[in-house]
Structures are given as C-alpha cells and as structure tokens.
Amino acid sequence: MTGSNDTVTIAPQVSGEERLQTESRARGVARILVSERRIQDEIAAMAAELDAEYGDDQPLMVGVLTGAVAFMADLMKAMTIPLQIDFMAISSYGAATKSSGVVRILKDLNEEIEGRRLIVVEDIVDSGLTLQYLLEMLKARQPKDIRVVALLKKDKPDAFDVQVDRVGFHIPDEFVIGYGLDYAGQYRNLPYVAVLDPSVYTS
Ligand code: 5GP
C-alpha cells in the first residue's frame, strides 16, 4: 500500500570535508571553494532582486549551455514572478584564438527576443570573451534590455571590460569545477564549486 503512509527520509547533514572523502562524484576534488549553502543563499538574494526588478514584465532568461544549467535551474525556481527560459550554446576556441575573438554558436535561441527584457545567465566569466560576443549578438536583435547575472567571476586584470550586472562570487584565477562546470565532461553534478586536484590534469 502506498500513499499517505509513505515515509520521507531526511538526508543527514554531511560536512563538505566528509563529502570529499566519501562521494565518488567528488573524486579528484582538492578543496571546496564555494559551498552549497553559500551558493543557495546567494541565489535566494539574487532571485529576490530579480523579482523586484521585473515584476510582471515576464523576462526571458537566457541560459548559456552547458555550464549554466545548475545555476539557471536553481535561480528560476527561487524566483516567484512569471518568466520564460531559453538556451544558447556557444563554444570559444581556447587560449590560442582568444585575441581573435573566434566564438561559434552551437545552438541558437528558440524565442524571438525583439522588444523583450532578457536576463542572461552565465556560469562563469573568465576572460569575458564569450559574454562579449554573446551580448553583441543579442543586442543586434533589439531586445528591450539585457541584464547579465553570473554565478562566478574570476579576478583577472586583463579580462575584457564586459557588462556583468550581478556577480554571485568573485573567485581567484583558478580552474574550478562543480555546480554545472566540468573538467573533461565530469564534475558538473557537484552541488558546490571546487578546485580540482592538479594530479587529475597530469595523470
Ligand atoms: P571566457 O570567454 O569568459 O574566457 O570563458 C567563459 C567560459 O569558459 C565559461 O562559460 C566556461 O564554460 C569556461 N570556463 C572559464 N573558466 C572556467 C573554469 O575555471 N572552469 C570551467 N570548468 N570552465 C571555465
């Protein structure tokens, strides 16, 4: 018999350190940089700000695949106003071609954006090249306005001076994983942002 007699199991609270030692998904994680609790608290604050900013304007949240998936999912659920979502996939060609600004669209938006209020949701701003390209392309389609929210921004003096309206966490210039961000396709399902053990790159 199922239904009203079902019990709900509440997971015990496990510390970050314990997780690193016991979870196979955390194998290779050197240290947690931004904990799950801090991420969720910051998202709640961001969501309240966005609710107040947009009210009944029905903004379109534009997520940048694949890294922004975790952040976008939690942010939109924390917001209480009506909204729509859409996704773009973009690939930047790495350090050798950064200065030439070569960025490729892998998946375009499904929605028309002319006259709409856009919230661009980014996982991490590193050099800023990807975001700069994306914003130029979106602006050419004449949305009413664009706000950029990024979960993470690296402290990098030589980064492009690109529009980022709200940053969750400013982090050191290190390669990070988790909460949507990958290394070789792995680690996206970590609920926190972490630094990878260098042995993972070298082995
Ligand atoms: P940018 O164009 O700002 O240099 O780089 C932006 C993109 O590069 C991000 O959306 C992300 O996909 C990737 N990226 C930049 N820094 C990191 C990092 O530390 N870790 C991971 N996993 N991806 C990163």
Side-chain angles (χ1 to χ4, degrees):
M1 187 77 184
T2 57
S4 58
N5 289 333
D6 285 354
T7 54
V8 176
T9 308
I10 309 227
Q13 291 297 315
V14 180
S15 75
E17 292 305 314
E18 281 173 294
R19 273 190 156 164
L20 293 190
Q21 284 159 18
T22 58
E23 288 190 358
S24 55
R25 67 179 168 176
R27 228 171 266 147
V29 171
R31 68 178 203 281
I32 295 175
L33 200 62
V34 191
S35 70
E36 185 175 3
R37 166 61 68 86
R38 286 180 68 207
I39 291 173
Q40 296 304 329
D41 286 352
E42 189 61 27
I43 286 177
M46 283 179 167
E49 291 165 20
L50 293 170
D51 279 354
E53 167 68 26
Y54 292 95
D56 280 330
D57 287 352
Q58 301 219 14
L60 179 68
M61 295 178 85
V62 174
V64 185
L65 293 170
T66 304
V69 161
F71 177 38
M72 175 112 152
D74 284 346
L75 183 62
M76 72 175 183
K77 286 184 289 178
M79 290 171 68
T80 61
I81 59 169
L83 55 81
Q84 288 178 300
I85 66 167
D86 203 346
F87 290 97
M88 289 203 77
I90 281 176
S91 91
S92 64
Y93 279 171
T97 53
K98 265 184 182 172
S99 58
S100 66
V102 179
V103 175
R104 205 158 52 108
I105 297 180
L106 303 176
K107 183 216 169 291
D108 206 339
L109 295 173
N110 295 329
E111 300 286 330
E112 295 293 329
I113 61 170
E114 191 178 339
R116 298 213 52 184
R117 303 195 72 186
L118 304 189
I119 305 171
V120 172
V121 181
E122 262 282 25
D123 49 0
I124 185 165
V125 181
D126 184 3
S127 70
L129 171 68
T130 309
L131 187 56
Q132 190 182 56
Y133 174 83
L134 178 70
L135 288 174
E136 266 171 35
M137 196 191 48
L138 293 174
K139 280 176 187 163
R141 301 179 189 184
Q142 299 182 314
K144 185 173 178 197
D145 56 32
I146 304 178
R147 176 172 296 252
V148 179
V149 295
L151 181 70
L152 305 168
K153 187 169 191 307
K154 286 190 190 172
D155 286 329
K156 238 178 167 164
D158 58 344
F160 285 88
D161 185 19
V162 66
Q163 175 194 347
V164 187
D165 301 288
R166 181 70 160 82
V167 174
F169 301 94
H170 292 268
I171 61 167
D173 187 10
E174 287 184 272
F175 188 80
V176 292
I177 48 156
Y179 201 67
L181 292 165
D182 75 312
Y183 172 69
Q186 298 291 319
Y187 302 107
R188 291 193 197 275
N189 62 328
L190 294 174
Y192 45 76
V193 173
V195 178
L196 204 54
D197 191 319
S199 67
V200 177
Y201 303 99
T202 47
S203 63

